[in-house]
Amino acid sequence: MNARMPINEQELSERCRQQDNHARKVLYELYAGQMLGICMRYVGNREIAEDLLHDGFLKIFTSFDKFTYRGAGSLKAWMSRIMVNLSIEYLRKNDAAGQSVEIEELPDTIADTTEEDIAFIPQEVLMKFIEELPAGYRTVFNLYTFEEKSHKEIAAMLGINERTSASQLFRAKAVLAKRIKEYVRDADR
Amino acid sequence: MSKRDDDILLEGIRKRLENYSEPLPEGSWALLEKELCPRKIPFYRSWRSWSAAAVLLACIFSLGWWLSGAFTEKGGALPVADAGSFRQQNQPLPEGFPAVAAAQGTAKVEMPLGKVARPSRSGQLLASASVAADEDAAIGDIACAEEAVAGKEEAEETFRESGKDSLAGASVVQKRNQPSGRRAWMASNTAPKRQGKRQKWSMGVSYLNMGAVKNEGLSGFHSLKEGQGGISIGQLPSHSFSTALPAEDKLMQDALLNNVGHEPPRTRYEHKMPVSTGFSFRYAFTDRFAIETGLTYTMLSSELESNSSTGVYVEEYKLHYLGIPVKGNWIFLDTKFLTMYLSAGFALEKSVSGKYERVYLSGDGENAVWNETVKPMQWSLLGNVGVQFNATERFGIYVEPGVAHYFDDGSGVQTIRTEKPTNFNLQLGLRWTY
């Protein structure tokens, strides 16, 4: 029997709720790469990220009865949230989220970067810069930048104080700005 | 404009990586799909289905044979002291022979009459078997059925475009997730295989049964033991039919009498349902192969009764065996809840107690009793399919429909094993593994 392909997010989510395997596969093919990117950005390790992706999708497919469609983008946002939560959970369990590793030669100021500088850097390279951040810096940076959490919320999530959160974000930015500048400079040579 | 938007660095990175996609590991969907919905294999291609069907068939066959045919099956292997044979060998019977039947003789009484002259016999045997055949049918998750889609690529592309919406407006309520998942964690929730160290030793107790054989329609005198009918013409006194004939000889006379115009004797006999119980030990060399031995107790019992117009001839024996089976097991399925295996081997059984008793009750109140001890040794070949339902990791209930071939033990005693040397049986048991 041929099954009609779900053509929008709402229909896709509804078919996934009904445990339609074909719809599940479509959903996976559409979003798994992005979800893996999120996991990579948080844990900085491909093997662990793949495990989290696997577990995350199992969670997604078995939790569709809890999902309510609230407009375009809500499905991806819901899935992203699951992946972020799993990643944070993993980091907390491994006591990595609150780590603050001092990096030698950390600049006192954040180098000025332009939109052109950032756009110039390939996504993979930018991802690598983030992945190489110490876990504590990386976690705060991700939550602040991508999840748009406040330092108060981040502090509550990670069990640290707000000042630590702010400090780690500052350090993360300093490291990233430095590496972006270096990359651009090296490319110009 | 928020504070974040003012931050060129953060905003630039966020926009740059917002829809970043990592290349997926090869086979990741297949792995996920396998856990979400085990692949549905057509039943005719599943070896489990065939195994289950074989077990089911064996159970049904055993049960059907047991219930329908076994109890009324015609026997035919008994040694016959048939009046017909006497008729041929005693053609020159003298005139007036029937008068001998009333002759007075010396009774040899070794046991009370009431003990051997049973007013009635248990008529029907009850047999019951509870067989649970696990069909192990593949669970078909309807949601997981592969659906071929025409125009799949185009539709996917359509959706891919529409799916690239922003996060704006998303309102998601997501509860706390499960603990960090490693694949092993998920596997522990889904894998049906037995976990942990291989358990080598098993101990079981069992009860084995097979059908009974009953025959109520034989003509003439018969015996449960070869040469023991006591009706050999050679044993008749030359001055036969005298008035001083001992009781045991009256049996022979009876046979003769019924050869000369009387109603021929009718014989019924019954090999009762054997009872066998025991315990066993099994040692697994590998995950697939094991050897099993143990100790069994078996009781065979038979009754025969010939009624003539002038007397009743009764035979009965009970044989008690202790046996040692030795079997090799091939375990071809071992899951958390179900274990299936094939077994083959042999058994040696020695009769530790065997009483063979014959009684003749003549019409004039005289009777004769013969007692004999028989202790044959029995060899047999065994084969069966085993299905074990694992209630826990260490305890299971098993059922073993099987077949056994019993070799002639040379004792001459007619048992169910001599009448049906190759017979189906059903063994039920409990097994502890450690």
Side-chain angles (χ1 to χ4, degrees):
Chain A
M1 184 181 77
N2 286 346
R4 189 170 61 85
M5 177 62 62
I7 57 170
N8 61 51
E9 201 175 60
Q10 187 172 12
E11 188 179 352
L12 184 63
S13 62
E14 186 55 39
R15 298 253 308 257
C16 287
R17 190 199 315 279
Q18 295 165 4
Q19 302 180 6
D20 181 325
N21 196 49
H22 189 65
R24 284 172 166 175
K25 187 177 182 185
V26 171
L27 185 80
Y28 186 84
E29 288 174 349
L30 284 173
Y31 293 113
Q34 291 180 47
M35 297 301 120
L36 181 58
I38 291 173
C39 295
M40 285 283 288
R41 193 154 40 73
Y42 273 89
V43 300
N45 177 293
R46 185 167 184 91
E47 189 179 343
I48 295 169
E50 287 176 2
D51 284 347
L52 291 172
L53 177 77
H54 182 88
D55 295 352
F57 265 97
L58 283 175
K59 177 79 175 171
I60 288 166
F61 288 137
T62 54
S63 304
F64 256 103
D65 55 334
K66 296 173 187 167
F67 171 70
T68 304
Y69 183 74
R70 311 220 173 167
S74 61
L75 178 59
K76 182 186 169 186
W78 176 70
M79 293 168 60
S80 302
R81 182 64 60 89
I82 288 177
M83 293 297 172
V84 170
N85 284 340
L86 272 180
S87 302
I88 296 291
E89 185 75 20
Y90 170 80
L91 292 168
R92 286 175 62 180
K93 278 202 164 192
N94 289 275
D95 201 25
Q99 287 177 11
S100 176
V101 179
E102 293 297 329
I103 297 177
E104 291 181 7
E105 299 176 6
L106 190 68
D108 294 330
T109 57
I110 299 172
D112 287 333
T113 50
T114 64
E115 289 183 11
E116 289 73 24
D117 289 341
I118 297 169
F120 175 75
I121 299 182
Q123 284 181 311
E124 293 76 15
V125 174
L126 206 50
M127 278 292 290
K128 188 167 180 291
F129 290 167
I130 296 171
E131 287 163 23
E132 288 174 354
L133 287 171
Y137 297 3
R138 191 174 60 234
T139 307
V140 172
F141 170 80
N142 276 314
L143 289 172
Y144 187 89
T145 307
F146 292 94
E147 314 313 322
E148 301 186 348
K149 300 289 184 188
S150 67
H151 286 302
K152 188 177 180 181
E153 290 171 314
I154 294 170
M157 286 176 73
L158 302 181
I160 57 177
N161 62 48
E162 291 181 47
R163 289 172 62 88
T164 303
S165 176
S167 169
Q168 299 219 8
L169 179 65
F170 176 84
R171 290 164 186 268
K173 287 169 64 177
V175 173
L176 288 172
K178 180 170 178 278
R179 298 200 67 176
I180 289 168
K181 274 292 178 192
E182 287 172 353
Y183 186 90
V184 172
R185 186 188 61 213
D186 291 345
D188 287 342
R189 284 179 184 172
Chain B
M1 184 172 280
S2 72
K3 187 181 174 183
R4 285 183 177 85
D5 294 333
D6 287 338
D7 193 321
I8 294 171
L9 176 65
L10 296 186
E11 185 60 14
I13 292 175
R14 189 182 73 78
K15 283 183 176 174
R16 190 86 176 93
L17 296 179
E18 192 172 34
N19 290 316
Y20 174 72
S21 180
E22 278 279 334
L24 290 172
E26 194 173 341
S28 62
W29 166 249
L31 188 66
L32 188 64
E33 186 182 33
K34 194 175 176 183
E35 286 195 30
L36 283 168
C37 43
R39 191 177 172 191
K40 188 180 176 184
I41 301 171
F43 75 95
Y44 56 85
R45 290 177 60 185
S46 164
W47 64 271
R48 291 185 184 186
S49 299
W50 282 107
S51 302
V55 171
L56 189 64
L57 201 62
C59 292
I60 291 171
F61 183 68
S62 298
L63 200 60
W65 171 85
W66 195 356
L67 292 176
S68 61
F71 305 126
T72 56
E73 193 162 348
K74 293 290 183 185
L78 285 183
V80 176
D82 197 321
S85 62
F86 291 100
R87 188 175 294 120
Q88 290 176 353
Q89 297 179 55
N90 294 281
Q91 290 303 324
L93 278 174
E95 288 286 332
F97 173 73
V100 179
Q104 296 298 311
T106 304
K108 181 181 177 183
V109 179
E110 294 187 7
M111 63 188 300
L113 180 62
K115 183 177 177 183
V116 293
R118 294 168 181 78
S120 65
R121 304 206 177 262
S122 56
Q124 298 297 318
L125 296 175
L126 295 177
S128 65
S130 176
V131 180
D134 183 22
E135 296 183 52
D136 195 22
I139 300 169
D141 183 352
I142 191 169
C144 296
E146 280 296 332
E147 298 175 13
V149 181
K152 173 182 170 184
E153 293 303 323
E154 294 87 323
E156 276 185 351
E157 194 59 39
T158 304
F159 182 80
R160 206 180 300 276
E161 291 303 318
S162 67
K164 293 178 179 174
D165 295 318
S166 70
L167 292 172
S171 174
V172 177
V173 179
Q174 171 62 33
K175 287 188 176 179
R176 186 68 248 153
N177 288 307
Q178 60 198 32
S180 156
R182 303 308 300 251
R183 218 156 276 164
W185 179 82
M186 292 307 302
S188 68
N189 287 277
T190 55
K193 279 272 184 186
R194 284 207 198 206
Q195 302 290 316
K197 189 180 176 183
R198 176 165 60 89
Q199 295 154 339
K200 292 183 175 179
W201 286 96
S202 299
M203 189 186 79
V205 293
S206 63
Y207 176 79
L208 182 140
N209 231 327
M210 62 177 67
V213 174
K214 192 174 183 180
N215 195 324
E216 299 193 355
L218 292 181
S219 177
F221 284 103
H222 292 256
S223 174
L224 292 170
K225 191 176 181 189
E226 292 173 354
Q228 293 297 316
I231 319 173
S232 167
I233 194 66
Q235 292 178 342
L236 281 173
S238 56
H239 63 288
S240 62
F241 323 124
S242 72
T243 56
L245 203 60
E248 54 264 41
D249 290 337
K250 283 193 173 182
L251 173 61
M252 305 166 203
Q253 288 188 16
D254 222 359
L256 296 171
L257 284 170
N258 286 284
N259 287 332
V260 287
H262 287 70
E263 184 72 19
R266 301 295 297 174
T267 297
R268 60 167 291 277
Y269 72 90
E270 177 181 329
H271 295 305
K272 294 185 177 178
M273 187 185 298
V275 175
S276 184
T277 184
F279 59 89
S280 63
F281 295 98
R282 187 165 79 176
Y283 178 77
F285 293 108
T286 69
D287 288 339
R288 295 290 177 196
F289 294 98
I291 188 165
E292 183 176 1
T293 187
L295 185 66
T296 61
Y297 162 77
T298 303
M299 186 184 78
L300 301 183
S301 153
S302 295
E303 289 180 352
L304 176 144
E305 184 177 305
S306 295
N307 286 288
S308 73
S309 58
T310 53
V312 178
Y313 176 67
V314 176
E315 287 189 2
E316 182 182 71
Y317 70 74
K318 282 185 181 175
L319 301 176
H320 303 269
Y321 289 91
L322 285 181
I324 298 175
V326 179
K327 295 193 287 186
N329 292 354
W330 173 49
I331 303 159
F332 59 89
L333 175 67
D334 189 19
T335 66
K336 187 176 180 183
F337 298 111
L338 183 70
T339 303
M340 294 178 70
Y341 51 92
L342 292 174
S343 296
F346 64 90
L348 174 62
E349 292 171 282
K350 177 75 178 77
S351 171
V352 292
S353 171
K355 286 184 179 177
Y356 177 57
E357 183 179 88
R358 299 182 293 134
V359 175
Y360 173 68
L361 307 170
S362 69
D364 54 12
E366 296 177 5
N367 51 61
V369 177
W370 298 264
N371 282 310
E372 192 178 340
T373 299
V374 286
K375 292 184 177 179
M377 185 178 284
Q378 177 81 66
W379 285 93
S380 57
L381 289 178
L382 313 169
N384 60 265
V385 178
V387 182
Q388 179 172 319
F389 304 94
N390 302 310
T392 69
E393 193 176 351
R394 298 194 180 278
F395 174 70
I397 300 170
Y398 68 88
V399 54
E400 291 183 358
V403 63
H405 177 78
Y406 298 95
F407 296 101
D408 186 359
D409 60 12
S411 68
V413 176
Q414 301 298 301
T415 68
I416 192 170
R417 292 176 174 178
T418 54
E419 180 139 356
K420 295 182 74 66
T422 301
N423 208 344
F424 292 99
N425 56 49
L426 185 68
Q427 181 169 324
L428 305 171
L430 310 173
R431 184 172 283 132
W432 290 265
T433 305
Y434 56 95

